[in-house]
Amino acid sequence: VKHVVVVGAGLAGVRSVEALRARGFAGRITLIGQERHRPYDRPPLSKAVLLGDADSSFVDTDLSALEVDFWAGVSAKALRDGAVETTEGDLGYDGLVIATGAEPITLPGDGPQHVLRTLDDAHELRALLVPGARVAVIGAGWIGAEVATAARRAGCAVTVIEAGEAPLAHALGPELGARTTGWYEGVDLRLGTMVHEVREGGVELVGGEFVDAHVVVTGIGVRPAVEWLASAEIDLHNGVVTDEHLRTSLPNVVAAGDCAAWWSRRFQSRLRVEHWDTALHAPEVAAATLLGEDAVYDPVPYFWSEQFGHMLQYAGHHPAGERLVYRGEPEGKWSACWLTAGDTLAAVLAVDRPRDLVQGRRIIEAGHRLDAERLVDPDVALRDC
Ligand code: FAD
């Protein structure tokens, strides 16, 4: 491999460059990024940056020391055999890393609709979160809950519109999500409510009711940013399909981060995880694979969210049907454990209980069985259950 092209200059992209160099790759690297910014972390955008505690979150890396040719503000348009078509012309490669991440889904309607994906989005939105502003947040998922938190802190009048029967229902299930409903005190939380369209001055709900808003923020999820690959002979299904080595269906092409749907040995299923930890670590495997080493990506997925003064941390993967066991009451600090039929731990969610997260993650990794009766006692350490 002489020339590696990395498409997407987010965390997965820049980590791929670092991993290639760390493994001794001395050839040419070109990093292509649609945004004009150098690589930055997104988690702070809905936290410190939106709250006004920070202005940026650039990744601490030295692109010139990495000897990478960084094409900022350039988009990949298509992929042909051995070449990427970009807005600045064609670029040949011997190795390719696809790290184009994901992009927000928006709703119908011609009213102004904000999303929160980029640093520019965060700055735009922050300027609008002023005392007394009426803010409608569509979606009570991770982004919606964090935006609602910041908007409340800024003194806005916040309405959160959620189609599901509880916040976070889509990610964690309605029963667990319902445990967070109390956190929405002071927010007009509309559950089981569908949006028809976003119009000038607010949101029209299905059924005709109109919710007035100066600012509408849509946080209903993302889709993998793979449109540019539509005409390529590459397997796409809910993102770029890869094997456990993060190899795509094309030779010398790997994928990592939000855009990649990889085969998980551990969970015997295909996973696409839209979280920071994956973008941080998967590139090590992607780079190794590209350089011909035998590496496997098989993590226990991890993520966190900070909302309404609470720290939520999740590790694992829980397909539907696992048994839920709670540790602690919803009013205080608590955790939830998903147990398999064989009483091993499939996943853990810790709310303000970081030890449960750390210990739970190790238990999942080791595949230990747990005693469900001891588990319900929050005073018994998870590792002693
Ligand atoms: P991205 O970060 O999406 O980067 C991909 C880059 O590729 C983008 O800059 C994009 O512009 C560029 N690109 C796309 N298409 C092209 C193209 N055709 N040509 C050139 N460039 C292209 N995760 C957590 O675990 N915890 C959190 O608390 C958390 N908070 C978050 C808060 C916000 C507001 C957001 C948006 C995400 C949050 N995440 C969080 C998720 C986490 O940030 C993502 O999983 C991570 O950014 C994925 O990194 P990535 O490099 O795969 O993709």
Side-chain angles (χ1 to χ4, degrees):
V1 182
K2 290 198 190 100
H3 179 204
V4 175
V5 172
V6 178
V7 183
L11 183 62
V14 71
R15 291 283 293 165
S16 298
V17 174
E18 289 176 348
L20 285 162
R21 290 297 185 225
R23 300 190 111 75
F25 176 66
R28 190 177 150 209
I29 305 180
T30 309
L31 174 64
I32 304 177
Q34 191 168 280
E35 296 181 63
R36 298 201 169 273
H37 300 290
R38 64 195 159 86
Y40 59 88
D41 279 320
R42 293 181 203 279
L45 301 183
S46 51
K47 306 173 185 71
V49 176
L50 204 57
L51 291 165
D53 296 337
D55 287 326
S56 63
S57 52
F58 293 112
V59 175
D60 183 15
T61 192
D62 185 346
L63 293 179
S64 53
L66 289 166
E67 294 188 45
V68 54
D69 196 4
F70 177 33
W71 295 16
V74 175
S75 299
K77 290 296 194 198
L79 177 62
R80 284 187 282 106
D81 192 21
V84 178
E85 272 176 39
T86 81
T87 45
E88 298 289 311
D90 288 7
L91 187 62
Y93 68 81
D94 315 297
L96 178 69
V97 181
I98 299 175
T100 43
E103 55 207 6
I105 299 168
T106 52
L107 285 161
D110 51 18
Q113 198 173 148
H114 292 268
V115 293
L116 182 49
R117 184 74 194 176
T118 66
L119 186 56
D120 296 348
D121 293 340
H123 283 155
E124 228 173 82
L125 188 57
R126 182 166 98 183
L128 298 171
L129 299 185
V130 294
R134 288 184 161 279
V135 178
V137 179
I138 306 171
W142 305 116
I143 298 288
E146 294 190 358
V147 169
T149 301
R152 279 297 293 147
R153 260 258 299 261
C156 306
V158 184
T159 303
V160 175
I161 304 164
E162 165 59 47
E165 52 189 285
L168 306 177
H170 182 68
L172 301 176
E175 180 193 325
L176 199 151
R179 286 193 149 218
T180 73
T181 306
W183 300 350
Y184 285 75
E185 211 189 309
V187 171
D188 179 11
L189 175 63
R190 315 271 190 104
L191 297 171
T193 305
M194 296 282 286
V195 169
H196 174 60
E197 62 175 8
V198 179
R199 297 211 327 243
E200 191 66 48
V203 180
E204 187 184 321
L205 305 179
V206 169
E209 191 190 336
F210 195 78
V211 176
D212 289 316
H214 303 114
V215 185
V216 176
V217 188
T218 304
I220 57 169
V222 294
R223 63 169 74 87
V226 293
E227 237 163 69
W228 66 285
L229 295 167
S231 63
E233 297 279 309
I234 189 168
D235 269 7
L236 299 175
H237 183 74
N238 180 29
V240 182
V241 173
T242 81
D243 63 11
E244 59 192 14
H245 310 285
L246 301 179
R247 225 176 351 223
T248 71
S249 61
L250 289 180
N252 304 318
V253 181
V254 294
D258 279 12
C259 68
W262 80 90
W263 178 255
S264 164
R265 227 186 236 187
R266 183 188 300 275
F267 297 104
Q268 286 294 300
S269 59
R270 192 164 294 291
L271 301 184
R272 191 173 66 76
V273 173
E274 296 157 352
H275 294 297
W276 186 86
D277 192 64
T278 304
L280 185 72
H281 293 299
E284 285 157 26
V285 173
T289 297
L290 208 53
L291 299 178
E293 296 169 37
D294 181 24
V296 170
Y297 187 57
D298 196 18
V300 171
Y302 163 74
F303 69 85
W304 79 99
S305 169
E306 294 162 45
Q307 44 182 279
F308 305 106
H310 298 282
M311 173 60 111
L312 283 70
Q313 295 168 290
Y314 175 101
H317 170 63
H318 69 277
E322 251 78 4
R323 187 156 53 114
L324 250 179
V325 177
Y326 295 106
R327 289 162 59 73
E329 297 306 316
E331 298 74 36
K333 303 176 176 185
W334 53 276
S335 301
C337 295
W338 283 264
L339 291 183
T340 65
D343 281 343
T344 60
L345 190 60
V348 58
L349 173 81
V351 178
D352 303 318
R353 287 177 62 96
R355 279 204 189 126
D356 276 4
L357 187 281
V358 173
Q359 294 177 13
R361 196 176 189 180
R362 286 198 198 117
I363 293 167
I364 297 168
E365 258 155 10
H368 289 157
R369 280 162 172 259
L370 292 177
D371 178 340
E373 269 164 40
R374 288 170 68 76
L375 198 58
V376 295
D377 182 352
D379 294 331
V380 178
L382 205 52
R383 62 161 179 254
D384 297 329
C385 289

